[in-house]
Amino acid sequence: MLVSASLVLLMTAPGLALFYGGMSRSKSVLNMMMMSFSAIGVVGIVYALWGWSMSYSTTFATADGETGKEIGKLFSDPFKQFGLETTDPANYVFVAFQLTFAVITAALISGAVADRLKFSAWLVFLPLWVTLSYFPLAHMVWGGGFLSGVQDGLADLLFSGDGAAEVAPIDYAGGTVVHINAGVAGLVLAILLGKRLGFGKEPMKPHNLTLTMIGAGLLWFGWFGFNVGSIVNLDAYETETGLVWLNTTLATCAAMMGWLLVEKVRDGKGTSLGAASGVVAGLVAITPACGNLVPWSAIVLGLFAGGLCALAVGLKYRFGYDDSLDVVGVHLVGGLVGTVGVGFLASDDLGLLTGGDAKQLVVQVVVALFAMAWSAIATLLVGLAIKVTMGLRLDPEDEVEGIDFVEHGESAYDLGTGGGARRTSVLTSTATTTPAEGARA
């Protein structure tokens, strides 16, 4: 479990930092990487202070055997195990694992706001958002709350059983808690911020696809900790972990090929960015379903995820929102494909296409919609509060100059002055006229 936790931490830094950094413009790459690193710093501390308690103190007792109170099946008492002071040391490994999930969920949002979100606003957004959106959803799904299979939970209200839901929701490793949550948050923030200057009028291509490909590979590697480490049935450790590893791999392979197929048919070429994005789309989609599919159905789910996400990344141009690095197209859409898709393909006669009835599918759809609504409301409240107080967006002239210089006083490729020079240094003309190459065209 500690190895799995370390792998998930690797997904954020350097995995996600490289993946997003390569997709961003050269004048924004350091800021994009800093958003991932700062998510570790801020969310890691917040999780230890009240995040663990708010998510799981009703499920995991203190060292003295006491559990926290639950507030409306929405979250646990944030003060019961505040600062982990009363947490049972036997649970530290699980605390570590769950901490890394909170970190990467928050970091994923950053891809939707590239080039234009104040770094100070990001640092304020992180603790508020995880408190209002991530911790409650983690409790509701994994901590015995409203979106689990407990009595009087959402699934029980739909199909009541004997003391619990007749059909429990399936979210093995975070389709709702992580990906739908982050995808909706990215969409809301992107709308609040508005479009980048020049969006839709000038090319904004990835500045370094080599970094993106390396980042995608690290994300794939780390995702085995993400999915396999989330084992549900400890009594079937050997068989379940092997199945989850295979499903994770096969779905990702299929999604990459599905994305490349769409590109080939639509554009005439399969791209390295498409391959990297397809990898992430497959990983996202298999996350909620990885323990409830068999290998053939994992391949089917992956193919659909890759193809649908490849089409979905173009929605921002049709609807006019600037999701800079395709958080919506990959994480929201991919999370929905996996969360709803398992309702069709779940093994053990649970899926609509595998011998079951429509109940599992109905539960999956309703849970996904609830998670979307919760995330949207929480993000809107936090975003509006920051916007009216300290402001969300850079000034236009600062955005043109580049967020790396303005917010961090540095440049990723300032070769003329030895690299990484402060903004107050004497800069060469080539360092201050970086081409406007950026996110996916």
Side-chain angles (χ1 to χ4, degrees), residues 109-422:
I109 301 169
S110 64
V113 297
D115 298 338
R116 61 206 192 277
L117 178 68
K118 292 180 180 178
F119 189 61
S120 57
W122 174 247
L123 294 180
V124 174
F125 173 82
L126 286 169
L128 296 175
W129 184 82
V130 292
T131 299
L132 293 182
S133 190
Y134 182 84
F135 300 152
L137 279 174
H139 173 75
M140 283 188 267
V141 175
W142 295 326
F146 187 62
L147 299 184
S148 66
V150 297
Q151 187 174 14
D152 297 327
L154 182 56
D156 186 47
L157 295 178
L158 292 171
F159 305 108
S160 183
D162 185 12
E166 178 186 348
V167 179
I170 297 173
D171 188 354
Y172 195 91
T176 50
V177 181
V178 177
H179 298 295
I180 291 176
N181 196 7
V184 170
L187 176 60
V188 172
L189 265 190
I191 293 172
L192 285 176
L193 275 171
K195 304 172 189 177
R196 287 168 292 173
L197 297 176
F199 175 75
K201 300 177 181 178
E202 61 185 58
M204 294 182 175
K205 297 179 180 179
H207 92 282
N208 192 330
L209 286 172
T210 304
L211 295 182
T212 297
M213 294 291 281
I214 294 171
L218 288 170
L219 285 169
W220 194 342
F221 179 66
W223 223 289
F224 292 117
F226 201 89
N227 285 357
V228 179
S230 299
I231 181 169
V232 174
N233 184 9
L234 290 175
D235 294 330
Y237 183 85
E238 292 183 4
T239 55
E240 184 171 322
T241 51
L243 176 66
V244 171
W245 195 100
L246 280 173
N247 285 345
T248 300
T249 302
L250 293 172
T252 306
C253 294
M256 176 171 58
M257 301 314 297
W259 191 301
L260 291 174
L261 178 62
V262 169
E263 283 191 330
K264 181 65 176 177
V265 172
R266 182 186 61 196
D267 309 322
K269 299 180 187 297
T271 66
S272 59
L273 179 58
S277 301
V279 163
V280 176
L283 291 166
V284 169
I286 195 61
T287 292
C290 56
N292 301 88
L293 301 181
V294 293
W296 72 262
S297 55
I299 294 172
V300 172
L301 183 71
L303 280 171
F304 273 95
L308 290 174
C309 289
L311 297 171
V313 294
L315 293 177
K316 60 186 178 183
Y317 301 108
R318 174 171 296 183
F319 294 106
Y321 60 89
D322 186 3
D323 172 24
S324 310
L325 308 183
D326 300 319
V327 177
V328 177
V330 174
H331 292 277
L332 175 55
V333 174
L336 287 170
V337 170
T339 300
V340 175
V342 74
F344 287 100
L345 298 171
S347 54
D348 299 326
D349 297 329
L350 292 175
L352 183 62
L353 302 180
T354 55
D357 54 27
K359 291 182 179 179
Q360 187 71 61
L361 178 60
V362 171
V363 168
Q364 297 300 120
V365 170
V366 174
V367 167
L369 291 173
F370 184 95
M372 291 176 66
W374 184 279
S375 180
I377 294 170
T379 308
L380 184 63
L381 290 174
V382 174
L384 286 175
I386 297 174
K387 186 173 183 177
V388 300
T389 52
M390 60 186 296
L392 283 171
R393 184 164 180 159
L394 292 178
D395 293 332
E397 58 269 24
D398 289 337
E399 186 178 338
V400 171
E401 182 175 1
I403 196 169
D404 283 356
F405 280 134
V406 172
E407 293 288 79
H408 307 292
E410 298 172 308
S411 169
Y413 306 105
D414 189 9
L415 302 178
T417 59
R422 295 275 176 192

